[in-house]
Amino acid sequence: MMSLGEMATWLPLPGAIPQFCARYVDASVGFAVGWNLWYQCSITLCVEISAAAVIIQYWPGAQDINVAAWIGLVIAIIVFLNVWAVSVYGEAEFIFASIKIITIVGLLLLALIIDLGGSPTGDRIGFRYWKNPGAMNQYFGTGDKGRFLGFFSTLVNAAFSFGGVEAVACAAGEAENPRKNIPKAVKRVFWRILFFYVLGALFLGMLVPYNDKNLLTAQKNNEPGAAASPWVIAIRRASIPVLPSIINAVILTSATSSGNAFLYTGSRYLYGLAQNRQAPRFLLHCTKKGVPIYAV
């Protein structure tokens, strides 16, 4: 990531990654990487839109409306944010990111309070669940082998959440003062992962055992929205009302934000491919605001 940040700082180009591959490795590598990245963004965009529609169904009455209506609404919002100037996209992402950061910081503090016995139940949890049933579940085996396979199966799923961090380099071509701002953004990626992902996983492991009935039931029944979220389960176990709906709303903004980001990066990858003559040339057409409208 640091190397990619250095390259994007030195040569800020739209859709930077396939551009770099074509320039410094081979045109065929740029072609393959570019179209694979575009495909990844396209598929993940659909995933995020579908997830947002399912999240909306968490609230009473939402399930009475055809899910296609919610999908159409989310698509309209995401497209609207991307067809205007990139500053509109940037402002929207700033708002979405602020909501997520405030929420995760609040959840980390809440988790610490619950763990230390500050919830209405007064139950001091500590590291109880690391002893019974244990910190790691066993998967397709027992003992160390089962724990390793459990870790590895979780790692594959968790890796999906890290997709998109390269968007910092992708946005370099349209960033204000990239030589100053790109290094700052790239350096913060590590600390954000450490703080939000690692600490979040640590606290969740302390608050919710892997064999929790609510967790297993929600996953088995594909319950909509935040019902299967360990955060919601931890809050419900602590007998704290209202917060589950708030968390569901934040998850909804997060899914919308992710879809927004994947549409942005996917369109820039496509634009970069067109610049390298590896995609139709009409995709190079931009609006007066500099948005590659056909790529979007």
Side-chain angles (χ1 to χ4, degrees):
M1 188 64 195
M2 296 297 290
S3 300
L4 180 60
E6 288 182 11
M7 296 181 72
T9 302
W10 176 69
L11 192 63
L13 296 171
I17 300 174
Q19 298 267 40
F20 294 153
C21 292
R23 280 172 177 256
Y24 302 115
V25 183
D26 189 80
S28 60
V29 177
F31 176 86
V33 170
W35 280 107
N36 271 287
L37 285 172
W38 175 81
Y39 179 74
Q40 174 202 352
C41 291
S42 301
I43 294 299
T44 312
L45 171 62
C46 298
V47 171
E48 298 295 347
I49 292 172
S50 300
V54 172
I55 290 167
I56 294 174
Q57 293 184 313
Y58 174 81
W59 288 292
Q63 295 186 25
D64 298 333
I65 301 175
N66 194 306
V67 69
W70 302 124
I71 291 176
L73 176 62
V74 176
I75 291 175
I77 293 172
I78 292 174
V79 172
F80 175 82
L81 293 174
N82 276 271
V83 296
W84 298 102
V86 70
S87 59
V88 175
Y89 163 83
E91 289 296 328
E93 281 301 298
F94 174 78
I95 294 171
F96 286 142
S98 299
I99 293 172
K100 287 185 284 187
I101 290 173
I102 292 171
T103 302
I104 193 64
V105 170
L107 286 174
L108 291 175
L109 292 174
L110 177 64
L112 185 61
I113 292 170
I114 293 174
D115 189 70
L116 296 177
S119 68
T121 61
D123 183 20
R124 184 183 177 92
I125 300 173
F127 287 89
R128 178 192 309 165
Y129 299 130
W130 284 31
K131 298 178 181 178
N132 182 26
M136 298 180 67
N137 192 11
Q138 299 178 29
Y139 185 71
F140 280 125
T142 58
D144 293 339
K145 176 184 177 182
R147 283 187 287 271
F148 171 76
L149 292 176
F151 165 77
F152 194 76
S153 66
T154 304
L155 178 65
V156 173
N157 293 324
F160 176 81
S161 300
F162 290 87
V165 294
E166 72 282 355
V168 175
C170 183
E174 297 172 272
E176 182 179 348
N177 194 358
R179 294 192 182 277
K180 177 182 178 182
N181 292 323
I182 296 301
K184 288 168 58 178
V186 170
K187 290 176 181 177
R188 290 171 181 169
V189 169
F190 170 79
W191 297 109
R192 288 173 179 172
I193 290 175
L194 178 65
F195 186 75
F196 297 133
Y197 284 79
V198 177
L199 281 183
L202 172 65
F203 284 141
L204 285 176
M206 293 164 60
L207 294 178
V208 182
Y210 63 75
N211 61 353
D212 182 272
K213 293 182 179 179
N214 295 319
L215 180 63
L216 299 176
T217 302
Q219 292 176 338
K220 183 178 179 180
N221 298 336
N222 291 321
E223 295 185 17
S229 169
W231 290 110
V232 172
I233 293 172
I235 291 169
R236 285 176 174 171
R237 289 169 66 98
S239 301
I240 301 175
V242 181
L243 275 180
S245 288
I246 296 175
I247 293 174
N248 195 70
V250 173
I251 294 175
L252 175 60
T253 63
S254 179
T256 306
S257 171
S258 296
N260 190 35
F262 280 115
L263 180 58
Y264 172 83
T265 53
S267 63
R268 271 49 179 188
Y269 289 141
L270 206 55
Y271 181 81
L273 286 167
Q275 282 189 320
N276 292 339
R277 297 182 179 275
Q278 295 171 337
R281 300 290 289 174
F282 76 89
L283 295 172
L284 291 173
H285 177 74
C286 295
T287 64
K288 293 180 180 179
K289 298 292 185 179
V291 177
I293 188 67
Y294 294 144
V296 172

